[in-house]
Amino acid sequence: MRNLILACLLLGILPGLAEPAPCSACPMCKTATETADDQSRPAAYMASILTMLSMPSILFAVAGVTLYRMTRREESQLADLTEADDRNPDEPLV
């Protein structure tokens, strides 16, 4: 058991100790796409930006709507249960 814990710790720590590779990002991507001969490249660049911005919004919206519907369903079920408890037991269920 002790060896397993030690192995897990080493596997968790070793990747953090590795020196990260230098990033080669292009800060002038927009300029590079605007000066391109191919006119579809700027449109693709803008579409990729809109996609990256819309995905978190879509995920949060879906989660919010799901939670809202679950809450409404639970409130409806609780209201039905309290209504059933308030009825007179001698009355027939219609």
Side-chain angles (χ1 to χ4, degrees):
M1 183 68 175
R2 184 176 176 170
N3 290 337
L4 179 64
I5 293 172
L6 184 60
C8 289
L9 284 174
L10 285 177
L11 289 175
I13 293 173
L14 284 178
L17 296 177
E19 187 171 329
C23 294
S24 59
C26 174
M28 301 296 286
C29 289
K30 185 176 184 223
T31 306
T33 58
E34 287 175 349
T35 60
D37 293 334
D38 184 15
Q39 292 300 318
S40 65
R41 190 178 292 175
Y45 177 76
M46 292 304 293
S48 68
I49 290 174
L50 293 175
T51 302
M52 287 187 288
L53 291 174
S54 65
M55 291 317 269
S57 302
I58 291 170
L59 291 174
F60 283 122
V62 168
V65 168
T66 303
L67 290 174
Y68 175 76
R69 287 182 178 177
M70 287 172 52
T71 303
R72 293 287 303 247
R73 186 180 308 137
E74 186 175 340
E75 287 175 357
S76 174
Q77 289 173 350
L78 285 174
D80 290 345
L81 287 175
T82 55
E83 183 180 309
D85 289 343
D86 292 341
R87 276 192 233 141
N88 186 356
D90 294 334
E91 287 182 19
L93 294 175
V94 178

